[in-house]
Amino acid sequence: MRTIFKVKMILLSIMILLFGTTQSVVLESDENHIKSATFLSESFEVGPGKVAVKTLFDIDFPKGHIGVKSFDVEVVDEDGNSVPLYETYLHHWFAVKYIENITMSHYIKQSHDVSNGIEYERNDGACQGFLLPHHWGLGGESRGTSSNLPNPFAVELGNPTKIKLGFKEKWLFNIMVIDTRGAHDRKGCSECRCKLLNLPKDFYNVTTNINGQLLSRNYKGGLFCCQDNLQCKLRNGFHGPMRKLSLRYKIRWVDWDEHQVPLKFYILDLADRVRSNGSTPVHDCQVDDLFNIYYTLQMISKILKLTYIPNTNIRLSITFVVVSE
């Protein structure tokens, strides 16, 4: 009876802590002490053929010194129904960690100005700057793909001894979805082929690549042609309603203790042009400059009869989760 009472009190405490931000919180197992919560992100609007690229700061996330066991995501509509990929293609979602200056939290919340007061904390992979900085992230293969880490492994977060003094740990989503309803070429639309989008007339005169140089007119497809609010060409006469979507994400975690083995994320880019400066490697991840490699992989997939997922970014980055030293 006492054990049951303790479990009820734990559940009540968690629900009070996360009230208003989750759909459900449960204690999965007495033995392993795993907790799980399902959250709903801020909504965003899409219409037929429209591309939505959004960064959602300060997403709901479990608090305290914890070890995350899994982080799973899917796209849902206003009624909480799963949205099929043939209607809205989830190109990618990234969960990125950052720390926020506590003294500037109010200003950031009111102004939405994140140019000051935050510092990004990328994964331990090799890419430079803000390229592939995420800890968790997938694409169209998200639904049904488990990210579960077996015991005793977990991703350590919220360790107060590792958070910069005067800052607090937060998370954001970077997402890109493509509403393919009514698209003239649904597959090509989801692949961000430039000729299939209604690009501005001056697109190649004003659009720069990751190195700040104007985009080459030989650029045939990729992220730069799938910018926020651009639209794929639609079939003649097609009309469809606007709709609001969200990310529904489930996180499983444990309170951190000496029984957990910490892991680190290492994300590698297949198109990384590694150079050396003496004995020091210099990484130059391309991320989007991958179209030729992409179609090579597509042909290999067909030859080997593998499932083909048209997602340039995610197919060409590799995530390793490695035990920390």
Side-chain angles (χ1 to χ4, degrees):
M1 180 65 70
R2 181 174 297 178
T3 300
I4 294 174
F5 176 75
K6 286 182 178 180
V7 170
K8 287 183 177 179
M9 288 303 295
I10 291 172
L11 281 171
L12 179 61
S13 299
I14 296 172
M15 291 176 76
I16 291 173
L17 175 66
L18 299 175
F19 179 75
T21 63
T22 70
Q23 294 180 320
S24 59
V25 184
V26 297
L27 184 65
E28 292 191 354
S29 168
D30 263 348
E31 182 180 351
N32 296 317
H33 304 289
I34 296 176
K35 304 164 189 174
S36 70
T38 300
F39 303 88
L40 198 64
S41 78
E42 175 186 340
S43 65
F44 49 92
E45 195 170 54
V46 294
K50 278 293 186 80
V51 178
V53 182
K54 306 296 179 184
T55 300
L56 309 177
F57 284 88
D58 195 14
I59 63 173
D60 294 322
F61 207 93
K63 308 296 183 184
H65 189 186
I66 62 174
V68 175
K69 302 290 290 182
S70 64
F71 193 137
D72 300 318
V73 171
E74 66 172 336
V75 178
V76 297
D77 62 19
E78 290 180 278
D79 298 320
N81 300 314
S82 296
V83 178
L85 285 175
Y86 62 79
E87 288 185 2
T88 301
Y89 182 72
L90 176 58
H91 183 277
H92 73 261
W93 65 269
F94 293 156
V96 181
K97 183 169 69 169
Y98 67 99
I99 55 174
E100 181 180 274
N101 189 318
I102 295 173
T103 63
M104 298 188 69
S105 292
H106 181 72
Y107 167 77
I108 292 172
K109 185 175 182 179
Q110 295 297 318
S111 67
H112 304 290
D113 177 9
V114 294
S115 58
N116 294 299
I118 70 171
E119 299 176 16
Y120 297 102
E121 295 195 339
R122 56 171 300 115
N123 61 69
D124 289 279
C127 289
Q128 72 281 6
F130 199 64
L131 295 177
L132 300 177
H134 55 289
H135 285 64
W136 288 273
L138 284 172
E141 69 276 21
S142 284
R143 187 176 295 129
T145 300
S146 173
S147 60
N148 183 58
L149 297 173
N151 291 327
F153 304 107
V155 178
E156 183 183 13
L157 299 174
N159 186 341
T161 65
K162 295 181 180 180
I163 299 175
K164 190 175 179 179
L165 186 63
F167 285 73
K168 55 185 173 182
E169 190 176 275
K170 291 191 172 186
W171 289 82
L172 66 82
F173 273 137
N174 175 262
I175 59 177
M176 184 173 119
V177 300
I178 306 170
D179 188 328
T180 58
R181 290 175 298 159
H184 176 70
D185 181 339
R186 180 174 285 166
K187 181 170 176 288
C189 174
S190 67
E191 293 172 344
C192 298
R193 297 190 191 183
C194 300
K195 66 180 182 180
L196 297 176
L197 284 102
N198 293 315
L199 300 177
K201 291 182 179 180
D202 60 350
F203 177 77
Y204 286 100
N205 295 326
V206 298
T207 307
T208 56
N209 60 24
I210 59 175
N211 298 314
Q213 301 169 334
L214 282 176
L215 210 59
S216 166
R217 291 187 177 275
N218 292 324
Y219 183 84
K220 303 301 182 183
L223 294 180
F224 294 109
C225 284
C226 270
Q227 298 180 35
D228 190 37
N229 285 325
L230 289 182
Q231 185 180 37
C232 290
K233 295 176 181 178
L234 301 179
R235 299 192 302 270
N236 289 335
F238 182 88
H239 299 282
M242 300 293 289
R243 67 196 310 192
K244 288 187 177 180
L245 305 177
S246 301
L247 293 188
R248 182 166 61 202
Y249 54 108
K250 180 179 180 180
I251 301 176
R252 298 169 63 253
W253 76 95
V254 294
D255 293 327
W256 193 264
D257 59 30
E258 69 277 9
H259 302 297
Q260 314 305 320
V261 177
L263 300 178
K264 290 184 178 181
F265 283 88
Y266 290 83
I267 297 178
L268 309 179
D269 180 12
L270 184 63
D272 184 1
R273 301 171 181 176
V274 185
R275 306 187 308 276
S276 62
N277 182 6
S279 59
T280 304
V282 178
H283 293 273
D284 186 17
C285 295
Q286 300 302 301
V287 181
D288 187 59
D289 190 18
L290 302 173
F291 230 51
N292 290 332
I293 303 174
Y294 171 57
Y295 282 110
T296 300
L297 286 183
Q298 180 184 359
M299 293 306 298
I300 293 173
S301 296
K302 289 180 178 178
I303 293 171
L304 298 180
K305 297 182 180 179
L306 301 175
T307 300
Y308 165 58
I309 302 172
N311 190 330
T312 310
N313 247 31
I314 306 303
R315 293 270 298 183
L316 299 178
S317 63
I318 305 169
T319 303
F320 293 94
V321 186
V322 181
V323 177
S324 302
E325 292 183 358

